[in-house]
Amino acid sequence: MSVSAVEPRRFGSGLAGDADTDQKPDPGATADLSPRTTRSRLAPGKPIRFGLAIGPALLLVAWIVTSATGVLDPKTLSAPWTVVTTAWELIGDGRLQSNLWTSVQRALIGGVIGVALGLVLALAAGLSRIGEALIDGPVQIKRSIPTLALMPLAILWFGIGEEMKILLIALSVFVPVYINTYSALRGIDARYVELAETLDLSRAQFVRRIALPGALPGFFTGLRLAVTIAWLALVVVEQVNASSGIGYLMYQARNYGMTEIIIVGLVVYAILGFGSDLLVRAAERKALAWRRTIGN
């Protein structure tokens, strides 16, 4: 019997008898090869458009209402309109832009160094037992040491300049990238390794075609944590003998009891952190478009 005489089967159909082989192929049969669009009743449900903005919007509404009704004391938390006016004044005299650019530079440099370091160490430890023995223990020790505890030592080694600030940001960032990427590498199904050996792939081909794609979900999870931690570490280091940056601006405002400037700084940090997370999420969706999860 000719292979071309066999009708293409749709997903979910039963086994066909011999009589089916005499039928002509259905031109629309291949349409069912596309991913299903129906959702399980146990899944979270359909994505909500602009859903990520609902929570922050509700917080903003609560802030406005409590400030307008007098429930929230202005001495405790400045009203939103006061914060907007203060931010506009800071923009007008150029202080907000200059300090913001300094903070972004510190976070970007320290973040890139930390992510690269975490990724390299994760690959070395995740793909080699020798690398694991040399790297994983010290990283776990660093994981248990807060960044603040390292600050005195970093100041003794590098002074109070930019090197110290960038170093502490990098040390804070690399840990989540390493932990999640390493775990993803060690979590790759052993059957893929057996398949690579069957196909006689080289070590480099195995890393490029199987290990790296398999580690991407863990890497992006670590990256999302890393971008948030970078801003958190920046808040700390910019209040230690700094002469510029959003943290420095907030530190000076604290000395003079200017709550509205402190809130402006917090809002800037929140926007930077939330915006960075959105960018990483977008990159993750694009890089991992092949995955089918309940969140899709």
Side-chain angles (χ1 to χ4, degrees):
M1 181 181 296
S2 172
V3 176
S4 60
V6 180
E7 177 189 13
R9 295 284 175 255
R10 298 187 178 187
F11 286 122
S13 63
L15 295 177
D18 293 337
D20 291 338
T21 58
D22 295 328
Q23 297 177 1
K24 294 182 179 179
D26 182 5
T30 57
D32 289 327
L33 296 178
S34 59
R36 284 187 169 187
T37 57
T38 58
R39 293 184 177 272
S40 169
R41 64 182 179 85
L42 300 179
K46 294 182 179 179
I48 301 175
R49 191 175 185 184
F50 305 117
L52 291 176
I54 294 177
L58 291 176
L59 288 176
L60 179 59
V61 170
W63 185 17
I64 293 174
V65 172
T66 53
S67 297
T69 57
V71 175
L72 188 61
D73 188 352
K75 295 180 180 179
T76 303
L77 187 65
S78 300
W81 42 90
T82 304
V83 173
V84 171
T85 302
T86 303
W88 187 254
E89 293 174 355
L90 292 174
I91 293 173
D93 59 25
R95 282 189 292 167
L96 186 60
Q97 300 94 305
S98 61
N99 287 288
L100 176 60
W101 175 239
T102 302
S103 295
V104 170
Q105 282 183 306
R106 288 172 179 154
L108 186 60
I109 296 173
V112 169
I113 294 174
V115 170
L117 179 63
L119 181 59
V120 171
L121 293 179
L123 290 175
L127 298 174
S128 169
R129 290 295 182 184
I130 296 177
E132 179 186 31
L134 294 175
I135 295 171
D136 193 59
V139 173
Q140 298 301 331
I141 293 174
K142 165 58 189 76
R143 181 186 179 188
S144 63
I145 300 176
T147 301
L148 282 174
L150 293 174
M151 186 174 295
L153 192 59
I155 293 175
L156 287 176
W157 285 352
F158 299 97
I160 59 175
E162 292 298 310
E163 294 82 2
M164 179 272 294
K165 298 176 176 60
I166 291 173
L167 172 67
L168 291 178
I169 293 173
L171 289 178
S172 300
V173 163
F174 95 93
V175 173
V177 174
Y178 169 86
I179 294 294
N180 287 276
T181 306
Y182 170 80
S183 298
L185 284 169
R186 286 303 172 90
I188 293 176
D189 198 321
R191 289 175 295 181
Y192 291 119
V193 181
E194 296 172 359
L195 177 61
E197 292 175 347
T198 302
L199 296 175
D200 198 24
L201 296 182
S202 65
R203 182 72 172 178
Q205 290 174 325
F206 168 75
V207 172
R208 186 176 69 253
R209 298 182 181 181
I210 295 179
L212 291 181
L216 275 180
F219 169 73
F220 276 109
T221 300
L223 187 59
R224 287 187 61 190
L225 293 171
V227 294
T228 302
I229 291 174
W231 299 114
L232 295 177
L234 184 68
V235 176
V236 176
V237 300
E238 284 191 337
Q239 297 189 32
V240 179
N241 294 315
S243 59
S244 60
I246 299 298
Y248 165 76
L249 194 65
M250 294 171 62
Y251 179 78
Q252 293 294 105
R254 186 197 67 179
N255 292 336
Y256 295 99
M258 304 177 70
T259 310
E260 61 277 9
I261 295 183
I262 297 176
I263 301 302
V264 170
L266 292 176
V267 170
V268 170
Y269 278 130
I271 293 174
L272 291 173
F274 190 61
S276 301
D277 185 68
L278 290 179
L279 290 176
V280 175
R281 285 190 181 193
E284 181 182 16
R285 284 195 297 269
K286 187 172 182 179
L288 303 178
W290 48 269
R291 289 197 310 172
R292 292 195 62 195
T293 63
I294 62 173
N296 290 344

